[in-house]
Amino acid sequence: MLFNSNLFIFIFLPIIFILYHTLNYYRQINLAKVFMIFASFVFYAYFKYSLVFILIAYILINYIFYHLLMRYKSKLLLSLGIGLNLAILGYFKYKYFVIDNINNIFNLDIINPTILLPLGISFITFQQIAFLSDCYKYQRDIKTLVGGGILGFINFSLFVSFFPQLIAGPIVHYKDMMPQFKNPNNFILRYKNIALGLLFFTIGLFKKVALADYLAPSVDSAYAFVESGGVLNLIESWVLTHAYTFELYFDFSGYSDMAIGLALFFNIKLLYNFNSPYKSLSISEFWQRWHMTLGKFLKDYIYIPLGGSRVGKSRQYINLFIVFLISGIWHGAGWGFIIWGSLHGIAICIHKVYMSVFANVTWFKNRLNSKFYKVIMWIITFEFINITWVFFRATSINDALSVIKSMFLIHGQIVLSPNMQRLFQDNPLFAFGKWGEHFTIGQSAMLNAVLLMIAFVLLFRSSHLNIYKKFIFKDRYFILIGIMLIWCILKLNITAYTKFIYFNF
């Protein structure tokens, strides 16, 4: 079931909201939790009912390991639990990729049937790995929070299945989320949370429907054109890459905003996942602002256990590269994701070296806060991110390289006005090769949309945290929210519902 659908907005959500709060009002707290688990299973089953059995299996397996770790604080048990979770993820997500590459390398013909990828399996797996690790490190605290017997199983099942963050995060820790379900202050209707929930949900829905879905058809058409062997020209390639850069951001941050809003309807505060990442002045800053719960997971459970920055500069750079390589592999089973993760890992290392070399240079430190330096660093960072997203989106390495070649005129196709073409076509200084004459995929409207979104991202100053802290009840806010929500709903009834991009991961 999609957040951006009439079924969810007008039927599923109102029913869950009313019944859950009614049960809490009459102090049927545990029954309210059971009802939320059932509702989350229904939500998940709507995509394909058989997927619920995989979700239940995840819950049972990890609950068994929870009990074992509560009884025996054993690194072997922890390793087995983590290994089993990774094996399940590997089977569903990477089996086809691995066997396909073995067939290609060794010229074999191993039968490799396609397996349906369970939605959200990567997020669920990482969340369970974090939970088991916390069970080992904070044994007593986790036991107090989860409990035992039927009630413990209910609490844990709710933690895994809570529908707002089930499929695409944010990645949450048990100790951050589940105490909120036990807080008596959350058993009542809290109107500020409802208002804030509506605000976040509407902002997220607007990002998805008005921005991401506006860009998606042109992005899909352009990449389909490349997949069929077509070659983009200079303008088309740059418009395409920037369009996807913003489509991905507005799609995923839109989902995260909607998830935060939906959780607030039930008095649950989820962690924020984005903090204006495209304003970043370095690749390190970008990863402090983009998909923040994934970044925190990678830091806490991979980077620090590898030794972090405590093992010398050379080893630190290796650790950083490993973390981002794993991030690429986690995102998808394909060489494009591996290259994408590797490029970010290399860029992080280069930035660390760059900062350490010039850290004590007075001339350099005096210019760190200059506007010119910040603009240059923003352009470099943003365009590096923009280019690397090509490997993230393209269906093959050849397609990604084709787009990048077009961006840097290696294909030799550029679009100019007829007068400019006549001026330059006989001049050897501008003899790039074949002059492209089509600007069909990157229409001027698309170019205008991309430019407006750059301005929107740079000028919008309020972070989620500021909105939450400074929110006050004012009529003009609710009028604006109402207009946005009505417009989005009308848009939903004109165009087909589209799946969120990160459902694929």
Side-chain angles (χ1 to χ4, degrees), residues 20 23 27-37 154:
Y20 177 80
L23 290 169
R27 289 298 184 267
Q28 300 298 314
I29 309 304
N30 292 328
L31 188 57
K33 292 179 182 178
V34 172
F35 172 72
M36 182 62 75
I37 294 167
I154 290 171

Side-chain angles (χ1 to χ4, degrees), residues 43-276:
F43 172 83
Y44 197 66
Y46 186 81
F47 296 102
K48 190 172 180 63
Y49 74 90
S50 59
L51 296 179
V52 172
F53 299 109
I54 298 172
L55 180 61
I56 292 172
Y58 253 105
I59 291 171
L60 290 172
I61 289 169
N62 286 284
Y63 190 67
I64 290 170
F65 273 100
Y66 154 72
H67 270 292
L68 291 172
L69 286 168
M70 290 302 101
R71 183 171 297 183
Y72 312 105
K73 190 174 182 178
S74 165
K75 283 190 176 181
L76 177 61
L77 275 175
L78 176 63
S79 299
L80 287 173
I82 292 174
L84 187 55
N85 277 279
L86 291 175
I88 296 171
L89 175 64
Y91 176 77
F92 283 106
K93 193 165 186 177
Y94 304 103
K95 171 181 172 289
Y96 184 85
F97 174 72
V98 171
I99 294 178
D100 191 49
N101 278 277
I102 289 173
N103 284 338
N104 290 335
I105 293 170
F106 298 104
N107 197 26
L108 300 175
D109 194 22
I110 301 172
I111 298 174
N112 194 13
T114 302
I115 299 173
L116 178 67
L117 179 65
L119 290 169
I121 189 169
S122 297
F123 289 92
I124 296 170
T125 301
F126 269 22
Q127 195 156 294
Q128 297 318 296
I129 290 173
F131 174 76
L132 293 180
S133 299
D134 289 347
C135 285
Y136 179 80
K137 289 195 297 185
Y138 313 110
Q139 191 180 46
R140 185 176 299 175
D141 294 338
I142 294 295
K143 187 174 183 179
T144 302
L145 287 173
V146 179
I150 298 297
L151 182 57
F153 184 71
I154 290 171
N155 289 333
F156 181 72
S157 299
L158 179 57
F159 165 66
V160 177
S161 65
F162 187 48
F163 76 87
Q165 55 87 60
L166 172 60
I167 295 175
I171 299 170
V172 296
H173 291 261
Y174 194 97
K175 57 185 172 58
D176 293 328
M177 186 173 79
M178 291 311 296
Q180 298 181 67
F181 282 101
K182 294 183 177 182
N183 187 344
N185 293 326
N186 291 336
F187 298 160
I188 59 175
L189 287 173
R190 297 175 65 181
Y191 294 103
K192 181 181 179 181
N193 280 347
I194 295 172
L196 274 168
L198 184 62
L199 173 63
F200 278 114
F201 183 82
T202 303
I203 290 173
L205 185 63
F206 184 83
K207 285 181 178 180
K208 170 64 175 170
V209 173
L211 302 176
D213 287 355
Y214 175 79
L215 296 170
S218 294
V219 171
D220 293 343
S221 296
Y223 271 104
F225 176 70
V226 174
E227 289 165 22
S228 67
V231 175
L232 301 175
N233 59 48
L234 177 70
I235 297 177
E236 288 171 340
S237 59
W238 281 96
V239 172
L240 165 63
T241 54
H242 284 86
Y244 180 70
T245 291
F246 287 108
E247 181 200 354
L248 180 64
Y249 169 68
F250 287 120
D251 191 282
F252 191 25
S253 69
Y255 174 91
S256 296
D257 290 344
M258 294 168 80
I260 290 168
L262 290 169
L264 283 171
F265 287 149
F266 305 101
N267 296 325
I268 304 300
K269 188 177 179 183
L270 297 178
L271 298 174
Y272 300 121
N273 231 3
F274 293 89
N275 183 20
S276 303

